[in-house]
Amino acid sequence: MNADKSLDLASIRDAFPERRIVYYDTVDSTMTAAAGLEPGSVVIAGEQTAGQGRHGHSWHSEAGNGLYVSLVLPPSPVLTLALGLATVEAVAQTTGVACDLRWPNDLMIGPRKVAGILVQLVDGRAIAGIGINVNHREFSAELAGEATSLRLAAGGRDFALTELVIELLHAIERVVPEDQETILRLFTQSSSYAAGRRVTVALPDGVIEGTTVGLDAAGFLIVRKDDGTDTLILAGGVRAARS
Ligand code: BTN
């Protein structure tokens, strides 16, 4: 693949002539930039100065090396799971790197996270934010144990952001319209966390440990504790348990 790291906006706009594609070299967050835009719009940034993660965390958004994109979509029940699946597909297709999915939608390479997804509901629309660590060469000591990049996972190869974002938008157009049952089935097939995985989960009233036993019909994760009782996990906070 052509590893030109700069974004070729003309190619992205040519591939999606019906979408409004907005680009910023630097923006606080593509989430705030996308709020208020018409459905179908896509906001891409070269760098974010206040990248937002889930649960109020920040998202490390180094200039030029990551993909930082938000799309305006109609809300749908298992959208977060569908976006994770689409991102896994796009990454595999363009880089050959296989990622796991940690429920609900963290892309993992082994124990480290390579991409994250944040969905916010604004004025009846879903703002879907996707951040992928692509060509990062290193992370701070604080992040190094938890984060990785496609480059680090692929032995130092750089990847082209343009090809990745085009494939990501195509994958979203393919996966998101699938029916809920199909998305749950695909997620269960693609995620080692969906069933049979020993996990800890941070809940508001403490941490529980158990084994995942699948998703319920709405896409929530079921964790069976060692006393045999099941807990339905409604938000994130899932971690692989230390063995
Ligand atoms: C997570 O915590 O896993 C979600 C991270 C989401 C990061 C992306 S980068 C593009 C978009 N803009 C943001 O500020 N956040 C999302």
Side-chain angles (χ1 to χ4, degrees):
M1 116 190 236
N2 168 11
D4 179 356
K5 288 167 63 184
S6 56
L7 266 182
D8 177 356
L9 265 186
S11 296
I12 301 169
R13 290 189 170 122
D14 280 355
F16 300 95
E18 73 293 355
R19 291 186 184 275
R20 177 171 177 195
I21 312 266
V22 181
Y23 175 78
Y24 296 91
D25 276 333
T26 301
V27 72
D28 52 356
S29 163
T30 58
M31 301 304 284
T32 46
L37 298 185
E38 66 268 27
S41 302
V42 179
V43 178
I44 307 170
E47 174 189 26
Q48 298 185 117
T49 54
Q52 302 171 27
R54 298 173 67 235
H55 304 298
H57 293 130
S58 57
W59 185 257
H60 171 69
S61 307
E62 184 174 305
N65 284 331
L67 196 61
Y68 314 114
V69 53
S70 292
L71 286 89
V72 186
L73 295 171
S76 59
V78 286
L79 181 60
T80 56
L81 302 184
L83 291 165
L85 281 167
T87 309
V88 166
E89 273 190 31
V91 166
Q93 182 77 28
T94 49
T95 69
V97 176
C99 298
D100 194 4
L101 276 167
R102 181 173 65 187
W103 188 92
N105 53 18
D106 291 336
L107 271 74
M108 306 296 291
I109 298 176
R112 294 192 177 77
K113 179 161 160 173
V114 70
I117 294 164
L118 174 68
V119 178
Q120 296 175 338
L121 289 179
V122 181
D123 297 333
R125 289 173 187 156
I127 311 294
I130 300 166
I132 308 178
N133 301 332
V134 183
N135 293 320
H136 300 54
R137 288 166 181 257
E138 57 186 1
F139 289 89
S140 64
E142 196 190 351
L143 287 177
E146 298 222 333
T148 191
S149 69
L150 297 174
R151 182 183 201 279
L152 290 169
R157 273 174 66 204
D158 274 327
F159 296 107
L161 297 175
T162 302
E163 208 176 324
L164 185 55
V165 75
I166 290 174
E167 191 47 45
L168 177 64
L169 296 175
H170 280 311
I172 288 171
E173 289 183 352
R174 262 193 323 270
V175 177
V176 167
E178 293 284 1
D179 61 70
Q180 184 158 335
E181 203 179 313
T182 303
I183 289 168
L184 296 185
R185 179 174 46 76
L186 292 174
F187 187 93
T188 304
Q189 286 166 0
S190 308
S191 168
S192 76
Y193 283 77
R197 183 88 190 232
R198 195 77 190 158
V199 294
T200 60
V201 188
L203 298 174
D205 51 353
V207 176
I208 62 161
E209 181 164 342
T211 304
T212 58
V213 291
L215 305 181
D216 79 349
F220 296 120
L221 183 67
I222 307 165
V223 173
R224 183 158 298 161
K225 290 190 279 186
D226 295 340
D227 65 6
T229 58
D230 289 347
T231 303
L232 197 58
I233 310 303
L234 303 178
V238 175
R239 295 276 177 278
R242 284 174 210 275
S243 44

